[in-house]
Amino acid sequence: MNYKDIIQILAGHPLIKDITKWMNSDSKGLQINGLQASGKGMMLNAIQQMSGAKMLVVMEDAETAAYLYNDINRAMLADKYSLLPSSYKKSPKHGGLDLASEIMRTDALNIIHKTQDNNKKDNSQLSTLNSQLNNGWLIVTSPEGLIERVTPQQTFETKRLTIRKGEIVDSEKVIHSLAEWGFELVEFVYEPGQYAQRGSILDIFSFSNERPYRIDFWDDEVESIRVFDIEKQLSINEVEEISILPNVTAKGDKETISIFNFLPSDTIICWANMTFAIERINDIYDDTLIKQHSEKNVADVLNILINGNIAKEQITNFRHIYLDKRQRTTESSPKLGEVHEVGRGMLTLNFNQSAQPPYHKNFDIVADSLRSFINDGYAIHICSDSKKQTDRIASIFDERGDNIHFTPIEGTIHEGFIDHDLSVCFFTDHQIFDRYHKFSLKSDIAKAGKVSMTLKEINQLQIGDYVVHIDHGIGKFAGL
């Protein structure tokens, strides 16, 4: 089994139908309680796939957003799921942009923008199921990602170049557009915003993809488009169509808008904690404003960030799902699975999940716990990125004579959980063995590519070559 099988299991939860019913109603708010650990991201994934909704999920901070996205991205729907991070290495207050984060930010905006395009092209009613499923997406973000202004939709469109295999394209015009958008001409591309030309081959590292593209022209015809590895310079796969995008995260643009003005009006915003998110936006804005005021750059802050008041005003145009009990408008406790009003325009649903218990590598505790779940009718699934790990766990049970059977899941999640309504357990091998689990983002590939190219360039240096040291100036390379 794999991640998609987990989603299929969770999609059978009876409350999914109630959520779909809410989405087709006029209610502005939905309270969801009881989602635990990675069950939160997995259930949101199932909800999005079953409903075809456009969903913006706002977590408490950048790290929890990255972990939730890591869980959701296991579905491998790169054209529908993305992370909207801050484009800064630390914060707007300190400055310093992170190119790898800007790849993901541009990718998220491109996913949102493409649905706007589809809406304009589709003359049918978008309330039909097929249209919803085609145009839906799920973007995960945090206050750090929400606070930054973005390029308006109209400007975004003028800075996008679509190239298809087999079409006639003037390569000189492509190069002219790249130069105009600020792309840098280099010998080998290794980071976003670069391009290289060798005869009929044009390499482009767009901000819309984690790896660069290699376009092979036959005269003016696009003969092939390939994604390639930066370090090895070898093709990974061939694609039929690509979108080339510069850095469209609004830095330096005269006209900017908030992310809420960029979103389609039918977007549903899911909040881990809305009150905290708004307060956090205000804190970041105030800190940046104080620092920039001392440097007399206040106008820059107003052009790149929004404050909490703007956010509060603009989010009223959307429908909301609240994932934190503290946001409920009443103290009433509805029964499990019940759908009813808990305040003006607010519905509530109660899931029944719990987090994976701590085992601390003690297989006596593991065996007793799993045996208890099996006796109560629960199906046991253990997730791991390595088949060897699940085989190892199975062999440990066999050697101990525990007679415990489980279903291995190819690909892990961040935190295991139990869904008591469905009587299923999704546990992780790294929690069983008390190992640290770090999220993995698409932009990690771009970071690795830059490092590998830097090392490659260093290894090509010959003794006696002239170099420039960041501290000591010009000198001769004497070896490593």
Side-chain angles (χ1 to χ4, degrees):
M1 292 181 70
N2 57 30
Y3 182 92
K4 292 182 180 179
D5 296 310
I6 302 179
I7 299 302
Q8 283 296 108
I9 293 171
L10 296 180
H13 198 291
L15 292 187
I16 296 288
K17 292 182 180 179
D18 295 326
I19 293 171
T20 303
K21 180 181 177 182
W22 172 81
M23 288 180 173
N24 292 324
S25 73
D26 295 328
S27 176
K28 292 282 286 184
L30 171 65
Q31 178 75 50
I32 293 180
N33 300 326
L35 296 179
Q36 300 293 326
S38 287
K40 185 177 294 184
M42 310 288 277
M43 194 58 77
L44 289 173
N45 192 328
I47 292 168
Q48 195 286 319
Q49 290 197 38
M50 294 303 292
S51 66
K54 304 180 183 77
M55 299 172 65
L56 179 72
V57 181
V58 184
M59 300 304 291
E60 295 96 330
D61 54 54
E63 185 176 57
T64 55
Y67 276 116
L68 185 84
Y69 167 72
N70 189 75
D71 284 338
I72 289 173
N73 193 46
R74 294 279 177 178
M76 302 303 288
L77 296 174
D79 60 334
K80 290 181 179 293
Y81 295 168
S82 191
L83 178 69
L84 185 75
S86 168
S87 54
Y88 295 92
K89 292 178 180 178
K90 291 185 177 180
S91 72
K93 174 183 175 180
H94 298 102
L97 298 176
D98 180 41
L99 286 176
S101 295
E102 290 192 308
I103 291 177
M104 298 206 70
R105 194 167 175 85
T106 302
D107 178 55
L109 295 176
N110 190 38
I111 289 172
I112 297 169
H113 179 76
K114 282 192 294 187
T115 64
Q116 300 278 38
D117 275 358
N118 291 339
N119 289 350
K120 293 174 183 177
K121 293 173 184 175
D122 188 357
N123 294 322
S124 62
Q125 291 294 322
L126 291 179
S127 59
T128 64
L129 179 60
N130 286 340
S131 184
Q132 286 179 335
L133 293 176
N134 287 338
N135 294 325
W137 43 257
L138 194 156
I139 306 295
V140 183
T141 189
S142 63
E144 291 81 0
L146 287 179
I147 192 172
E148 294 180 38
R149 290 179 174 269
V150 300
T151 299
Q153 288 276 7
Q154 304 89 319
T155 308
F156 194 96
E157 178 59 32
T158 62
K159 290 185 177 181
R160 184 171 65 172
L161 177 63
T162 301
I163 299 176
R164 300 176 182 85
K165 180 181 175 181
E167 73 176 358
I168 304 301
V169 175
D170 188 338
S171 59
E172 292 302 318
K173 286 187 177 179
V174 173
I175 292 171
H176 176 75
S177 295
L178 294 175
E180 193 175 58
W181 293 341
F183 278 75
E184 178 188 5
L185 176 62
V186 294
E187 188 175 355
F188 296 101
V189 300
Y190 59 85
E191 67 179 11
Q194 296 178 335
Y195 72 99
Q197 186 180 26
R198 295 179 301 282
S200 64
I201 295 175
L202 180 62
D203 292 346
I204 306 174
F205 205 147
S206 168
F207 275 87
S208 61
N209 198 50
E210 60 189 336
R211 286 190 170 98
Y213 299 115
R214 177 161 291 159
I215 307 169
D216 198 347
F217 289 92
W218 178 261
D219 197 12
D220 281 342
E221 181 182 348
V222 178
E223 189 173 35
S224 67
I225 306 173
R226 289 164 288 172
V227 178
F228 70 94
D229 182 88
I230 299 171
E231 182 180 7
K232 299 176 182 177
Q233 292 291 304
L234 297 177
S235 299
I236 296 173
N237 63 286
E238 192 166 340
V239 294
E240 297 293 316
E241 178 180 314
I242 58 172
S243 288
I244 305 298
L245 284 167
N247 186 351
V248 292
T249 54
K251 308 299 181 293
D253 286 0
K254 293 181 179 178
E255 184 184 358
T256 60
I257 60 174
S258 78
I259 184 63
F260 301 111
N261 282 338
F262 193 89
L263 297 172
S265 59
D266 58 343
T267 300
I268 296 172
I269 304 179
C270 304
W271 301 92
N273 190 326
M274 184 177 69
T275 303
F276 175 83
I278 299 299
E279 290 175 353
R280 178 65 182 144
I281 287 174
N282 265 331
D283 289 343
I284 298 171
Y285 183 87
D286 290 343
D287 287 347
T288 309
L289 191 63
I290 291 170
K291 185 168 189 300
Q292 294 301 319
H293 183 75
S294 66
E295 298 174 3
K296 300 181 180 179
N297 291 325
V298 174
D300 292 343
V301 178
L302 302 177
N303 196 48
I304 63 174
L305 304 178
I306 64 169
N307 59 37
N309 290 331
I310 292 174
K312 278 196 293 187
E313 178 184 346
Q314 294 181 351
I315 62 176
T316 58
N317 299 322
F318 299 94
R319 304 174 76 195
H320 303 273
I321 294 177
Y322 305 100
L323 305 174
D324 187 343
K325 282 187 177 181
R326 286 172 292 180
Q327 298 173 126
R328 287 181 52 185
T329 57
T330 181
E331 295 301 319
S332 63
S333 298
K335 295 178 182 178
L336 178 63
E338 188 177 356
V339 185
H340 70 102
E341 298 283 345
V342 297
R344 182 176 296 178
M346 182 75 76
L347 300 171
T348 190
L349 293 173
N350 273 0
F351 284 84
N352 188 10
Q353 293 183 353
S354 57
Q356 175 177 335
Y359 294 127
H360 306 300
K361 298 183 282 188
N362 187 326
F363 268 78
D364 289 333
I365 299 175
V366 174
D368 288 343
S369 174
L370 267 57
R371 194 179 292 112
S372 175
F373 280 118
I374 291 170
N375 291 339
D376 289 338
Y378 285 72
I380 308 296
H381 302 77
I382 298 182
C383 308
S384 175
D385 285 330
S386 170
K387 184 178 183 299
K388 290 182 179 179
Q389 272 296 88
T390 49
D391 289 345
R392 176 189 174 196
I393 294 171
S395 67
I396 291 174
F397 286 141
D398 288 341
E399 290 171 6
R400 290 168 46 89
D402 288 321
N403 194 30
I404 291 175
H405 300 284
F406 64 88
T407 302
I409 300 289
E410 182 183 346
T412 194
I413 54 179
H414 179 47
E415 295 176 312
F417 66 98
I418 305 143
D419 193 299
H420 300 285
D421 297 332
L422 299 174
S423 296
V424 290
C425 302
F426 296 104
F427 293 158
T428 70
D429 69 312
H430 59 265
Q431 287 176 284
I432 290 175
F433 290 105
D434 265 357
R435 292 198 317 272
Y436 177 69
H437 177 252
K438 176 68 174 175
F439 57 79
S440 175
L441 303 178
K442 289 193 293 184
S443 60
D444 291 343
I445 295 175
K447 292 178 181 177
K450 181 175 181 180
V451 171
S452 66
M453 281 302 294
T454 302
L455 293 174
K456 184 176 180 180
E457 290 168 348
I458 291 173
N459 288 329
Q460 289 174 344
L461 285 173
Q462 302 294 318
I463 292 177
D465 285 349
Y466 284 98
V467 294
V468 179
H469 192 279
I470 192 170
D471 294 321
H472 306 295
I474 299 173
K476 285 186 178 182
F477 182 65
L480 293 175

